[in-house]
Amino acid sequence: MDADTPSRIERLCIDRGLKMTGQRRLIARVLSEADDHPDVEELYRRALALDARVSIATVYRTVRLLEEKGILERHDFGGSRARYEPTEHGHHHHLIDVDTGRVIEFEDEAHEAVMQAIAARLGFELVGHRLEMFGRRVEPAPPPPVPSKARRG
Amino acid sequence: MDADTPSRIERLCIDRGLKMTGQRRLIARVLSEADDHPDVEELYRRALALDARVSIATVYRTVRLLEEKGILERHDFGGSRARYEPTEHGHHHHLIDVDTGRVIEFEDEAHEAVMQAIAARLGFELVGHRLEMFGRRVEPAPPPPVPSKARRG
DNA sequence: TTAGGTGCAAAGGATTTGCGGAATT
DNA sequence: AATTCCGCAAATCCTTTGCACCTAA
C-alpha cells in the first residue's frame, strides 16, 4: 500500500471527523496492513519501523479512541495485554492454538443462531457476545522444538 | 454454614493435599458461600468481615493457587480486574446484563455441540472455550417513545 | 523440625494522564 | 487563532514478590 494513499482505517477516521495527524495516519496505516491481532506494544514497534516520530502513549491513546469510535475491536486472548483488530468483516470469533499461540478466525451461522436462542430463552435481547476457543491441532506432524511461550494473564 | 464445618472448597483443598492455614480456611469459606463472581478486592472485603487476620496479598496468592489446582475459575467480564468462581457445576457460561452488570449463568447443550463441531471443522481438538454474552432485558411493556434501536456494532 | 504460608511494603507490568510545546482545522 | 494532539515522565491500577517471621503437619 502506498504511503500517500489514505489507508482504509484512515478513511474511516476521516469519515468520523477525526483530526488527522501524522501519527494517526501512521497508526491507521499499520492497522490497515495488519491481518493479525497485535497488541499495543507490537503496533508501536511496527509504527516505529515506518516513522520514528511516535510515542507509545499516542498509540495507546489512538487505539482507545478508535475503539470508542467503533473502528477497532479490543480482545483478551488470555495474555496480559489487550490485542486489537479492525472492525470490519462480519461477526467472527477466535480459535487460539494453545501450542503455537496462533489465532484462527472463524464465523459460524449455527453458533450465531444458538446465541440468539439462548438470549431469548433467558429473556434478553442480545447486544453482543464474545467467544474464544482454545484448541490443539489434531494429529499434526510432531510439534516443532519451539518452546511455547506460555504467558499467563 | 457453621464456621467449624469444613466448607466445600476447604474439602477440595484438603483432597489436593494443600496445607490448610487459618487464612486459607477463611478464604475457602468465603468462596464456598459466594454465589456470585467476586473479584479479589471483594473477596478480601468479605474475608476481613469474618476475621481481620488476612492480607490482600494472601487472597491474591490463594486465588491463584486454587485456580492452578482447578478449584477456581478466573473470568474476565470486561472490567479491569479478574473475577472468580468455584469450578463446580458443569460447563456453563455467562450472560452479562449490560444495564445492571448482573451476571446470569447458563449452560446449553446445543451450544457445546456446535463448539465441538466448529473445532473439528478447523482441524482442532477443543481443549477449552470461553463465551460471554452481553444482553439487555426485553421488557414485556410497550417499547419506549424512541422507536428504532440503532444497531451498534 | 521443616517445608511452606503470611504480612508488609516495594516492585512490576500495562495503561492512563498532567503539562508545556506542537500541529491541524 | 482556537482546538486538539503529542511526547515525556510521572501516576494509577491491578497483581506479584522479596524478605523476615510464623505455622501446619
Side-chain angles (χ1 to χ4, degrees):
Chain A
M1 147 100 56
D2 186 341
D4 299 324
T5 307
S7 62
R8 199 185 69 86
I9 303 273
E10 179 178 348
R11 183 144 304 294
L12 289 172
C13 291
I14 294 169
D15 290 349
R16 318 231 173 177
L18 297 182
K19 185 188 278 190
M20 288 315 292
T21 64
Q23 1 320 54
R24 283 196 185 162
R25 227 182 307 276
L26 175 61
I27 296 168
R29 185 176 151 210
V30 168
L31 284 168
S32 295
E33 293 176 356
D35 62 340
D36 50 351
H37 310 74
D39 57 33
V40 168
E41 206 87 43
E42 176 63 22
L43 288 172
Y44 177 52
R45 219 171 294 131
R46 296 181 192 177
L48 270 190
L50 299 177
D51 188 333
R53 285 168 295 173
V54 213
S55 73
I56 197 166
T58 294
V59 178
Y60 270 109
R61 278 193 270 237
T62 303
V63 130
R64 181 173 221 211
L65 174 68
L66 297 199
E67 193 207 344
E68 283 164 1
K69 293 295 183 183
I71 296 174
L72 279 189
E73 257 173 58
R74 175 176 39 200
H75 295 293
D76 163 34
F77 289 154
S80 52
R81 32 195 169 199
R83 297 170 60 177
Y84 294 85
E85 94 182 303
T87 304
E88 46 190 329
H89 21 32
H91 208 91
H92 66 269
H93 298 289
H94 301 93
L95 168 59
I96 295 94
D97 185 322
V98 296
D99 293 320
T100 68
R102 193 165 73 96
V103 177
I104 293 96
E105 298 185 351
F106 68 87
E107 43 186 319
D108 187 281
E109 288 179 28
H111 173 257
E112 301 297 319
V114 170
M115 292 292 87
Q116 295 289 348
I118 293 174
R121 164 158 64 82
L122 297 171
F124 281 75
E125 172 200 359
L126 194 61
V127 303
H129 68 284
R130 191 163 71 184
L131 168 67
E132 284 106 42
M133 295 172 51
F134 299 86
R136 177 166 287 132
R137 271 225 104 85
V138 174
E139 52 179 86
V146 182
S148 65
K149 40 179 178 177
R151 52 177 56 148
R152 93 151 241 127
Chain B
M1 151 99 54
D2 185 342
D4 299 324
T5 305
S7 64
R8 199 185 70 86
I9 303 274
E10 179 179 348
R11 182 144 303 294
L12 289 172
C13 291
I14 294 169
D15 291 349
R16 318 235 172 173
L18 297 181
K19 185 189 277 189
M20 289 314 292
T21 64
Q23 310 46 357
R24 283 197 185 160
R25 228 183 305 278
L26 175 61
I27 296 169
R29 185 176 152 210
V30 168
L31 284 168
S32 296
E33 293 176 356
D35 63 338
D36 50 351
H37 310 73
D39 58 32
V40 167
E41 205 87 44
E42 177 63 21
L43 288 172
Y44 177 52
R45 219 171 294 131
R46 296 181 193 177
L48 269 189
L50 300 176
D51 187 333
R53 284 168 297 173
V54 214
S55 73
I56 197 167
T58 294
V59 179
Y60 270 108
R61 278 193 271 237
T62 302
V63 131
R64 185 177 209 189
L65 174 67
L66 298 198
E67 192 207 345
E68 282 164 1
K69 293 296 183 183
I71 296 173
L72 279 189
E73 256 173 58
R74 175 177 40 198
H75 295 293
D76 162 34
F77 290 154
S80 52
R81 32 196 169 199
R83 297 170 59 176
Y84 293 86
E85 93 182 303
T87 305
E88 46 189 330
H89 19 33
H91 208 93
H92 66 268
H93 297 287
H94 301 95
L95 168 58
I96 294 96
D97 185 320
V98 296
D99 293 320
T100 69
R102 193 165 73 98
V103 177
I104 293 95
E105 298 185 352
F106 68 88
E107 43 186 318
D108 187 281
E109 289 178 29
H111 176 256
E112 301 296 320
V114 171
M115 293 290 87
Q116 296 288 349
I118 295 174
R121 165 157 65 82
L122 297 171
F124 281 76
E125 172 200 359
L126 194 61
V127 303
H129 67 282
R130 192 163 67 189
L131 168 67
E132 283 107 41
M133 295 172 52
F134 299 86
R136 176 166 289 132
R137 270 226 103 87
V138 294
E139 35 195 326
V146 184
S148 70
K149 46 195 168 144
R151 295 179 61 200
R152 70 137 282 169

